[in-house]
């Protein structure tokens, strides 16, 4: 197992301007697994209830994801209900039922404790901490995500997690909520000061900005003609981002830039359909073509053989 994720496995009820879906398989660890498994061997740590459908568990297996850490607990699976109004960048949470996640305390097996790459997907920061603490040795790369609920209810514990990760993936609105800074540059700097080497700010349809201690990098989102359902875009981004880094074993600047593109590619597929449908049915060629489309989307060459800008010469 090259990449371990802890996070939610959920049944989501979602309403967007394009439609509605009830009790669809979702959750942060699910979207992350669905995206990252195209790149590397993934293992999942999460809890599901006795109502979890056999076909949903089979889906993880079909993806080649190691489900030894997918524990079934008597009770109901985590449920989240969300609404997107005109602004598709911001989910409005209607209801969160932690169900079997309340009091879930995973015990990692040897393969999980030795995973060289770890993603702490959006879930209670206490659970993120518990998984990080159980690792036999610190993975080469640890990254985490979170959401407004945990910033509102568990900020001290969340801060302790952020201090110990290499990379933090976070939404623009959550940067503001966590740091109190209005601008994302100042907000990202405040987060870097806590300890991570890299802060990746997810900006929905406006793309992503990477603030590393040594460089800054920004990308637009892929121009998807019709966004059906933004749910899981952040987790799919994380899956592409971490999948790329885990598969290459690299963490340098060029790798992080390419990982941000890979993340953006996976997020762009995730939003094209409700739930996991599009993300689940990709070919390697689909992913490769969209990765190349990003190179074209962001390419520019200075006219005049690199002479630079055609500025008028003026004195003073
Ligand atoms: P995102 O990638 O940010 O759109 O994440 C969407 C997923 O997050 C949904 O599939 C939800 O099941 C999951 N989710 C929502 N609220 C929570 C929460 N409080 N803890 C863990 N997962 C959540």
């Amino acid at each position: 197992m090259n990449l371990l994720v802890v996070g939610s496995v959920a049944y989501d009820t979602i309403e967007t301007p394009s439609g509605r879906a009830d009790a669809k398989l979702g959750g942060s660890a699910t979207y992350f697994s669905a995206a990252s498994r195209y790149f590397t061997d993934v293992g999942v740590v999460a809890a599901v209830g006795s109502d979890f459908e056999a076909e949903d568990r089979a889906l993880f297996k079909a993806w080649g994801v190691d489900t030894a850490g997918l524990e079934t607990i008597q009770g109901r699976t985590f449920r989240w209900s969300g609404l997107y109004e005109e602004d598709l960048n911001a989910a409005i949470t209607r209801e969160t039922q932690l169900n079997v996640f309340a009091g879930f305390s995973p015990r990692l097996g040897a393969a999980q404790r030795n995973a060289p790459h770890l993603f702490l997907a959006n879930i209670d920061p206490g659970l993120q901490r518990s998984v990080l603490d159980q690792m036999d040795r610190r993975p080469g790369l640890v990254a985490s995500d979170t959401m407004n609920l945990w910033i509102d209810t568990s900020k001290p514990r969340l801060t302790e997690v952020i201090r110990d990760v290499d990379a933090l993936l976070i939404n623009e609105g959550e940067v503001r909520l966590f740091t109190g800074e209005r601008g994302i540059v100042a907000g990202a700097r405040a987060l870097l000061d806590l300890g991570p080497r890299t802060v990746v700010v997810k900006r929905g349809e406006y793309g992503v900005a990477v603030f590393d201690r040594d460089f800054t990098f920004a990308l637009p989102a892929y121009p998807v003609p019709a966004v059906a359902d933004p749910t899981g875009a952040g987790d799919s981004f994380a899956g592409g981002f971490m999948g790329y880094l885990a598969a290459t074993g690299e963490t340098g600047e060029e790798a992080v830039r390419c990982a941000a593109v890979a993340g953006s590619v996976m997020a762009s597929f995730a939003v094209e359909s409700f739930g996991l449908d599009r993300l689940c049915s990709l070919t390697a060629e689909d992913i490769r073509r969209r990765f190349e489309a990003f190179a074209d989307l962001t390419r520019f060459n200075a006219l005049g053989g690199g002479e630079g800008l055609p500025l008028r010469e003026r004195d003073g």
Side-chain angles (χ1 to χ4, degrees), residues 134-183:
Q134 287 182 58
M135 299 308 280
D136 275 347
R137 53 195 150 75
R138 196 181 188 285
L141 178 66
V142 181
S144 71
D145 190 1
T146 192
M147 75 178 292
N148 52 3
L149 174 70
W150 310 115
I151 300 174
D152 287 335
T153 61
S154 309
K155 192 167 175 190
R157 255 190 304 169
L158 176 60
T159 306
E160 288 310 309
V161 172
I162 293 173
R163 278 187 205 291
D164 283 347
V165 301
D166 302 300
L168 172 67
L169 279 57
I170 186 165
N171 286 345
E172 186 172 3
E174 293 155 5
V175 172
R176 261 184 241 116
L177 182 67
F178 189 98
T179 64
E181 297 285 354
R182 216 171 295 127

Side-chain angles (χ1 to χ4, degrees), residues 8 10 12 26-28 31 78 80 122-123 147 149-150 230-235:
S8 58
D12 291 340
S28 56
Y31 280 101
F78 178 98
W80 177 73
N122 173 29
I123 196 68
M147 75 178 292
L149 174 70
W150 310 115
T231 309
D235 308 310

Side-chain angles (χ1 to χ4, degrees), residues 234-265:
D235 308 310
S236 307
F237 174 90
F241 183 83
M242 289 297 284
Y244 185 95
L245 295 174
T248 58
E250 303 276 346
T251 54
E253 174 174 344
E254 290 313 317
V256 171
R257 286 172 181 255
C258 288
V261 178
S264 303
V265 165

Side-chain angles (χ1 to χ4, degrees), residues 2 11-13 35 49 61 96 115 131 144 176-177 288 299:
N2 190 25
Y11 284 130
D12 291 340
T13 295
K61 294 250 167 69
T96 302
V131 169
S144 71
R176 261 184 241 116
L177 182 67
R288 225 173 264 127
R299 169 184 56 79

Side-chain angles (χ1 to χ4, degrees), residues 33-108:
S33 302
S36 58
R37 61 101 183 184
Y38 287 102
F39 296 85
T40 195
D41 287 340
V42 181
V44 64
V45 172
V48 293
S50 28
D51 59 351
F52 195 62
E53 301 284 346
E55 66 193 41
D56 291 332
R57 185 180 283 272
L59 198 55
F60 280 85
K61 294 250 167 69
W63 296 338
V65 171
D66 184 325
T67 55
L70 188 61
E71 212 177 295
T72 304
I73 296 176
Q74 194 60 35
R76 271 162 69 82
T77 298
F78 178 98
R79 276 161 207 265
W80 177 73
S81 170
L83 163 73
Y84 300 84
E85 293 179 322
E86 284 317 304
D87 180 5
L88 291 176
N89 294 323
I92 300 164
T93 293
R94 281 178 158 150
E95 196 182 15
T96 302
Q97 294 178 14
L98 289 180
N99 296 335
V100 292
F101 270 103
F104 171 53
S105 157
R107 287 182 59 82
L108 305 195

Side-chain angles (χ1 to χ4, degrees), residues 190-262:
L191 291 165
L192 285 173
D193 284 345
L194 288 178
R197 205 193 72 193
T198 312
V199 172
V200 180
V201 182
K202 296 171 286 172
R203 308 181 58 227
E205 65 178 321
Y206 305 114
V208 68
V210 179
F211 297 91
D212 187 278
R213 284 197 206 142
D214 300 325
F215 66 93
T216 302
F217 177 59
L219 267 181
Y222 182 81
V224 173
V227 172
D229 172 17
T231 309
D235 308 310
S236 307
F237 174 90
F241 183 83
M242 289 297 284
Y244 185 95
L245 295 174
T248 58
E250 303 276 346
T251 54
E253 174 174 344
E254 290 313 317
V256 171
R257 286 172 181 255
C258 288
V261 178

